[in-house]
Amino acid sequence: MAEPVEFRSEDGSLMKLLKYDDRYYVTHFVGNVKDHLAAIDAMDVREDDTFIMAYPKSGTHWAFTLAFMLRTGETAYRGSPTFLDYTDMETIDKLPSPRVFATHIAFELMPKQVKEGKGKVVAIFRNPKDVISSLYAFLKKVDHKDFFRCHNTWEGLLEFYIEGKIYYGSWFEYMKNWDKVRREHKGNNVMYFIYEDLIQDLRSQVQRLALFLGVSFETEFLDTVTKRCTFRNMATEATKTFTPSEQWKEFTKDKTLPIYRKGEVGDWKNNFTVAQNEHFDRVYNEKMKNSSFDFRFE
Ligand code: A3P
């Protein structure tokens, strides 16, 4: 069973997490983590299920929206995904097909049937400096009764991030696990997206995703999906639409969705000092020296 843990940074910032089996989770993970992970492991996966996998703030909503449009053939903005992490299995089992889920858990904790090749996984990754900058902005907006009310300074949050004492653990460990998946996973049901590639040429990534999901559409439809999934369009739609899954709106100080903020590559420069950046580069170069992933930071 998960145990609550708290960390304090040098400057007094606070991080509240759940720890289970040497990994950190957010406090609103279903149940006691252990039982829900067991239920996820045993999940009844359908052939046309899609799972968006991402470290928080890496473009989860973006990949979800793209996949949902391609899976359903509908281009209306859909809101936030159903997360495996925060939804009980009874609800998950009742959802109509095609189901598109999101999750921040590690691949090795995914449903057994997924690891055996059933369903499709779309993993999206983003350069770690923009990830933490996005998380910092997100945390400043959120005000939830016991979760996230942590009063983190940028310095404190960066310290937690580098040490891996943060929601879903270390970004570097997350990437290391994915390197292992790339080497060892036998199925051909995993596709890799890089956030910066989507920013650079969304249309060609939409094509890749359609091919991977095995859906065929007219060029015109793929053009429409591309247009609907620009940052500007999704941000505008999110202000108009309220779906029950947009629960984050309830948890923010100004009751707006804290997801669509800037959608850029390189915004980290507004947070990192020169010294913090040099230190982060040293950590990155050391921890990522054997990685098969390569990120662009601007
Ligand atoms: P920023 O805070 O840097 O703007 P997640 O969905 O994993 O929580 O990630 C949220 C981040 O993805 C936010 O980053 C958000 O703006 C960005 N994002 C969401 N939709 C996007 C889009 N269509 N284009 C570019 N970035 C997008």
Side-chain angles (χ1 to χ4, degrees), residues 6-249:
E6 287 189 11
F7 296 107
R8 289 248 172 222
S9 68
E10 262 181 36
D11 71 357
S13 291
L14 174 66
M15 179 59 65
K16 289 184 188 176
L17 306 167
L18 285 179
K19 186 176 184 187
Y20 173 67
D21 208 12
D22 243 3
R23 294 180 199 266
Y24 295 122
Y25 296 89
V26 290
T27 51
H28 61 297
F29 203 91
V30 173
N32 59 18
V33 181
K34 183 179 182 220
D35 290 349
H36 191 52
L37 285 178
I40 290 174
D41 179 62
M43 178 180 164
D44 205 358
V45 176
R46 304 176 197 160
E47 285 298 346
D48 62 353
D49 280 345
T50 310
F51 299 86
I52 308 301
M53 298 193 66
Y55 189 85
K57 314 320 290 173
S58 302
T60 323
H61 286 70
W62 197 4
F64 163 75
T65 307
L66 289 163
F68 199 86
M69 288 183 183
L70 294 177
R71 269 291 188 216
T72 58
E74 309 260 336
T75 57
Y77 173 73
R78 198 32 217 212
S80 292
T82 301
F83 275 84
L84 291 184
D85 321 24
Y86 320 129
T87 317
D88 62 80
M89 204 42 72
E90 214 184 316
T91 308
I92 286 174
D93 282 341
K94 283 192 198 137
L95 288 174
S97 294
R99 303 184 296 184
V100 182
F101 300 105
T103 183
H104 296 317
I105 63 174
F107 186 79
E108 66 180 89
L109 302 174
M110 286 295 278
K112 188 163 172 283
Q113 293 177 0
V114 168
K115 289 183 282 181
E116 288 168 354
K118 198 168 179 187
K120 299 247 158 115
V121 170
V122 179
I124 181 162
F125 308 98
R126 184 182 193 185
N127 86 69
K129 293 181 192 175
D130 280 330
V131 165
I132 191 60
S133 300
S134 178
L135 183 65
Y136 177 59
F138 175 82
L139 293 179
K140 276 204 292 195
K141 287 194 86 180
V142 172
D143 185 24
H144 182 262
K145 65 176 171 17
D146 56 4
F147 161 62
F148 287 144
R149 201 177 268 172
C150 293
H151 310 293
N152 287 308
T153 62
W154 164 249
E155 290 73 19
L157 188 70
L158 188 60
E159 191 180 316
F160 292 138
Y161 186 55
I162 291 175
E163 290 174 1
K165 294 170 179 165
I166 199 157
Y167 316 109
Y168 292 96
S170 158
W171 180 90
F172 296 106
E173 277 304 308
Y174 186 82
M175 295 312 300
K176 215 161 130 190
N177 287 334
W178 275 105
D179 260 317
K180 192 160 176 271
V181 177
R182 264 186 164 172
R183 282 194 310 271
E184 295 176 6
H185 178 61
K186 299 278 184 288
N188 55 2
N189 63 333
V190 180
M191 166 180 178
Y192 299 90
F193 258 164
I194 302 287
Y195 179 97
E196 292 77 19
D197 291 347
L198 270 68
I199 291 279
Q200 197 176 6
D201 182 0
L202 184 56
R203 180 62 177 77
S204 69
Q205 299 297 324
V206 168
Q207 185 85 44
R208 265 186 78 215
L209 182 58
L211 273 174
F212 171 71
L213 294 177
V215 293
S216 72
F217 288 113
E218 304 283 323
T219 305
E220 209 184 332
F221 178 79
L222 299 184
D223 290 343
T224 307
V225 169
T226 308
K227 274 194 220 120
R228 294 273 158 89
C229 290
T230 59
F231 174 80
R232 204 39 56 219
N233 194 67
M234 284 176 63
T236 309
E237 286 299 322
T239 61
K240 289 193 248 161
T241 321
F242 184 88
T243 66
S245 66
E246 299 291 41
Q247 53 173 312
W248 282 116
K249 281 185 181 168

Side-chain angles (χ1 to χ4, degrees), residues 126 279 283:
R126 184 182 193 185
H279 176 57
V283 175

